[in-house]
Amino acid sequence: MTEPPQKKPKVQNINTIKAILSPEYTEPIKCDEVYVTAVADKKQISKIMQQLAIQLPVPKLQHLKRVKDNKIILCSKEEVGEVEKLKPYLETKSIDPLVVEEILKQIEVIAVPAKSPKLRWQYEEVHRIWPCKFHPDKYMEQRYEGTNFTEKEKEFHIKIVSLLRDISRKLLNNQNIGVCVDPRFQSLVAMASSFTNKSPVMHCPMILVDYVARTQDSGAWNEKLNSEEEFVECEKASEHTMLGIPRRFKQFMDENEDYKNIKLGAERLRCSEKLKCEEAQTLDGDNLAKYGPYLCTGYDVYLWQEPCLMCAMALIHSRAKRVFFVKASDNGSLSSRFQLHSVPELNHHYEVYQILLENLES
């Protein structure tokens, strides 16, 4: 019987908003070679498995079912080497000699999935090769399919990046522009462009994070930037502050019908004392409502251009919740050259999306 044709990975629908997922979600599962024994008498499978479960566990293959039809996985080929070494290897495991004799009657080398599938399309592909365990993740499935945003949410995301596009073209000579948004209120916390004329590290995302810090009575570059920007003033009694919104950007929005109704302002710190560093580092989007803002915790960041490695790391340190960008960059570190947000060793990970605008001009 011929094998059915291999299914291709399911391609994401062409959506306006595309999730940038790590390769473990977008690439087929690789295979490793293992030794299996084909048992002629299926009644012997239970007896063999009793021995193997105790004497020859396979922790690296825990994602696989050990038995398929009359075949039993013994061990990985990499662990043993050539087939001539299999018998002495089994004998060292204190397996009953009669069971070893039964196992060695019909040995095969087959390829099995090396890791557990993350998404259903991967599961459907690898399950044809060998039965495996699978725990569906509904949210990641939605991100892969592009269905995790409602139409109302999509409209808001598109409006924000349309604002970035118009400011970039009409005020900044096509330079990068970014905004930070509190998604709880759909309010713009801070807006920033680059100031590389002042310092080579003053890229747009770096300035943006600093402007967010200004709204929390902090900021490292206040003295350098106060001469460059005028910020919108707000009454001290107000629960929100405009200290992260440059006046020129607010004026542009006020003069444009499409943008003048977008909410502006960041939530003020709710305590007189700043949070201790060790406490602040534990904050996430859920307890943002309880403790108040800490850098970009729980906030969304929108950028006209994909950030470089330095800026992408700054967004990790500032603990952004999600990052949206429009234009890919030659040195981009979220999709083009690297996926910093997919590095498992980092202690914080944000979601990344590219927003594809129709008729996008360079």
Side-chain angles (χ1 to χ4, degrees):
M1 180 182 292
T2 58
E3 287 285 333
Q6 186 176 6
K7 291 183 180 180
K8 294 182 179 179
K10 190 171 182 180
V11 179
Q12 285 184 317
N13 296 328
I14 300 176
N15 287 286
T16 306
I17 304 176
K18 173 187 174 185
I20 307 299
L21 303 177
S22 62
E24 62 182 344
Y25 292 96
T26 60
E27 295 182 357
I29 303 294
K30 294 181 180 180
C31 288
D32 286 338
E33 290 186 328
V34 298
Y35 283 115
V36 301
T37 179
V39 182
D41 183 0
K42 287 191 175 182
K43 295 179 181 179
Q44 296 295 317
I45 291 179
S46 177
K47 179 181 178 181
I48 295 173
M49 279 302 303
Q50 288 177 2
Q51 290 273 313
L52 296 183
I54 299 173
Q55 306 299 340
L56 191 58
V58 283
K60 292 185 178 180
L61 302 174
Q62 288 295 315
H63 58 286
L64 300 174
K65 302 291 180 67
R66 191 116 189 212
V67 179
K68 177 185 179 183
D69 299 327
N70 69 325
K71 296 180 179 180
I72 305 173
I73 292 178
L74 299 176
C75 55
S76 69
K77 184 181 177 183
E78 181 182 14
E79 182 179 356
V80 176
E82 297 305 316
V83 69
E84 293 82 9
K85 299 179 181 180
L86 183 58
K87 182 178 179 180
Y89 174 80
L90 295 174
E91 291 173 342
T92 63
K93 299 299 180 178
S94 301
I95 300 173
D96 187 326
L98 294 178
V99 172
V100 173
E101 183 179 341
E102 182 66 29
I103 287 173
L104 294 174
K105 284 181 179 179
Q106 192 172 343
I107 297 296
E108 297 179 46
V109 176
I110 66 171
V112 296
K115 295 192 298 185
S116 178
K118 295 289 187 181
L119 297 179
R120 182 158 296 279
W121 74 265
Q122 295 171 323
Y123 169 72
E124 291 174 352
E125 182 179 277
V126 300
H127 193 72
R128 292 171 52 252
I129 302 172
W130 193 273
C132 61
K133 300 173 185 177
F134 176 59
H135 303 284
D137 185 330
K138 183 178 179 181
Y139 182 62
M140 290 306 300
E141 295 283 354
Q142 290 176 336
R143 291 189 67 201
Y144 181 80
E145 297 287 347
T147 59
N148 57 312
F149 295 118
T150 65
E151 290 303 316
K152 187 174 181 180
E153 288 171 333
K154 287 183 180 179
E155 289 177 7
F156 179 76
H157 297 322
I158 297 302
K159 175 174 283 191
I160 296 301
V161 297
S162 297
L163 170 64
L164 298 185
R165 175 192 59 198
D166 290 347
I167 290 179
S168 176
R169 291 175 179 174
K170 297 175 182 180
L171 292 184
L172 303 176
N173 193 27
N174 293 318
Q175 297 301 306
N176 198 12
I177 170 74
V179 301
C180 184
V181 172
D182 187 335
R184 297 173 300 162
F185 314 116
Q186 291 192 334
S187 176
L188 273 61
V189 170
M191 306 176 68
S193 57
S194 298
F195 281 105
T196 49
N197 61 320
K198 300 285 289 184
S199 169
V201 299
M202 285 187 172
H203 296 187
C204 168
M206 304 289 285
I207 301 292
L208 183 64
V209 171
D210 200 67
Y211 285 2
V212 173
R214 286 173 60 96
T215 70
Q216 298 163 20
D217 301 330
S218 186
W221 288 334
N222 291 345
E223 293 184 5
K224 288 188 176 181
L225 294 174
N226 282 342
S227 61
E228 299 287 340
E229 291 278 28
E230 292 184 10
F231 292 87
V232 179
E233 296 182 3
C234 202
E235 294 182 4
K236 291 185 178 181
S238 172
E239 294 181 356
H240 290 77
T241 175
M242 297 279 202
L243 282 177
I245 308 294
R247 188 177 297 278
R248 56 178 175 150
F249 297 148
K250 183 179 186 304
Q251 182 177 350
F252 178 88
M253 295 172 66
D254 289 341
E255 294 171 354
N256 193 304
E257 287 292 328
D258 293 333
Y259 309 126
K260 68 179 184 180
N261 292 325
I262 295 178
K263 294 180 183 178
L264 298 176
E267 183 183 15
R268 291 185 185 273
L269 291 174
R270 283 188 224 132
C271 53
S272 56
E273 295 183 8
K274 295 178 181 177
L275 290 172
K276 295 180 181 179
C277 181
E278 60 269 20
E279 294 174 342
Q281 290 294 332
T282 66
L283 294 183
D284 56 30
D286 292 332
N287 55 25
L288 175 61
K290 180 178 179 180
Y291 293 103
Y294 169 70
L295 295 181
C296 296
T297 300
Y299 288 167
D300 292 337
V301 172
Y302 298 77
L303 300 169
W304 181 240
Q305 295 176 354
E306 181 185 5
C308 66
L309 184 59
M310 174 184 71
C311 295
M313 182 59 79
L315 294 173
I316 284 177
H317 287 312
S318 66
R319 313 191 78 75
K321 178 181 180 181
R322 298 182 296 195
V323 177
F324 300 81
F325 71 92
V326 180
K327 296 181 65 176
S329 303
D330 291 339
N331 63 344
S333 292
L334 299 182
S335 177
S336 301
R337 291 292 184 93
F338 192 54
Q339 288 190 350
L340 182 66
H341 60 290
S342 297
V343 176
E345 291 79 11
L346 295 175
N347 65 358
H348 177 74
H349 299 87
Y350 44 67
E351 296 178 11
V352 176
Y353 300 89
Q354 183 175 14
I355 299 184
L356 309 173
L357 292 180
E358 294 182 2
N359 304 318
L360 178 62
E361 299 177 7
S362 60

